[in-house]
Amino acid sequence: REATAERILAAVGEVLARDGFVKLGVNAIARQAGVDKVLIYRYFGGLDELLRAWGDSGRFWPRVQELLGNDPQAFLAMPVEERFALFFERFIDALRARPLTIEIMAAEVAERNELTAILEAEREQWGEEAARTLAAREWATLPWLPGVTMLLVAGVQYLLVRSRKIRVFGGIDLHTDAGWEQLKASVREMSRRLLGSHTAS
């Protein structure tokens, strides 16, 4: 059962990336997974529940715990500016390692329905958890920090979606590790200047 459920979850991402949300359905997922559609209802309850399970599995979006790394306590003990920068470095790496996610994000721009809303809700919950974990005290005392964080999260997603069709954006090669390292260095410097001064005060 576990292996079959894993095949079904993997098939969700494959169908989404290939066909988008309009053609996502139990029959298409069952064909992709090579299983009887009855098993999808038996294991997951239906399409909405399956999509929620897929969104929560870490296949689509990196879990907060993944971004904290192997030693969450050591991560959380860092000064806030270091936590912030490292979190974004790992966020960039995690999304770059999920090409299916990038394809699905591109599809979301063109189509919005009850299925895309499920994944949107998953990401909103992720954002709340990330904020609590990453900088709960600073979130409450620095009113500009949530907006800056949102712009960075959105910017990373936009650049990754754009990189599907273009190579260079703003003079930075989005198809190379060096280009993304340049962007990470910019986030580190911004974190140091904005949050380091806050810590010092």
Side-chain angles (χ1 to χ4, degrees):
R1 171 172 180 152
E2 185 176 342
T4 303
E6 286 294 312
R7 276 176 31 218
I8 292 169
L9 287 170
V12 173
E14 292 161 2
V15 173
L16 271 175
R18 185 187 65 228
D19 300 330
F21 286 89
V22 172
K23 295 183 180 178
L24 183 69
V26 169
N27 289 332
I29 293 167
R31 281 195 302 273
Q32 184 71 26
V35 301
D36 191 307
K37 69 178 181 180
V38 171
L39 293 179
I40 292 177
Y41 291 104
R42 183 181 302 165
Y43 293 170
F44 297 98
L47 182 59
D48 288 4
E49 293 83 359
L50 173 58
L51 193 57
R52 287 190 185 93
W54 180 74
D56 192 46
S57 70
R59 287 174 171 81
F60 173 60
W61 208 251
R63 292 190 177 105
V64 170
Q65 289 300 315
E66 176 185 340
L67 303 182
L68 297 184
N70 295 328
D71 191 345
Q73 292 307 314
F75 177 91
L76 295 174
M78 293 176 178
V80 63
E81 65 271 20
E82 294 181 26
R83 290 200 310 268
F84 194 84
L86 184 56
F87 190 87
F88 266 97
E89 290 179 22
R90 290 174 175 172
F91 178 63
I92 289 169
D93 291 341
L95 288 189
R96 289 185 71 206
R98 289 169 165 82
L100 287 180
T101 293
I102 297 169
E103 292 300 319
I104 292 161
M105 287 193 298
E108 284 181 322
V109 174
E111 27 182 302
R112 190 179 191 281
N113 54 40
E114 65 277 5
L115 295 178
T116 66
I118 290 172
L119 295 183
E120 289 169 13
E122 293 274 349
R123 288 201 294 275
E124 285 298 310
Q125 292 175 3
W126 175 90
E128 293 172 6
E129 181 186 356
R132 289 193 305 270
T133 305
L134 185 59
R137 183 174 64 84
E138 292 78 13
W139 216 255
T141 58
L142 299 175
W144 49 265
L145 185 56
V148 168
T149 304
M150 181 190 68
L151 287 170
L152 287 171
V153 170
V156 169
Q157 294 176 66
Y158 175 78
L159 290 175
L160 285 168
V161 170
R162 290 289 285 142
S163 72
R164 297 162 54 254
K165 302 295 183 183
I166 64 169
R167 184 181 188 96
V168 176
F169 188 96
I172 295 177
D173 190 336
L174 300 176
H175 287 188
T176 64
D177 291 339
W180 286 98
E181 288 301 324
Q182 185 178 346
L183 292 170
K184 290 178 188 177
S186 297
V187 174
R188 283 196 298 273
E189 182 64 16
M190 185 201 71
S191 300
R192 185 184 68 80
R193 289 175 180 263
L194 293 179
L195 295 171
S197 60
H198 169 74
T199 302
S201 64

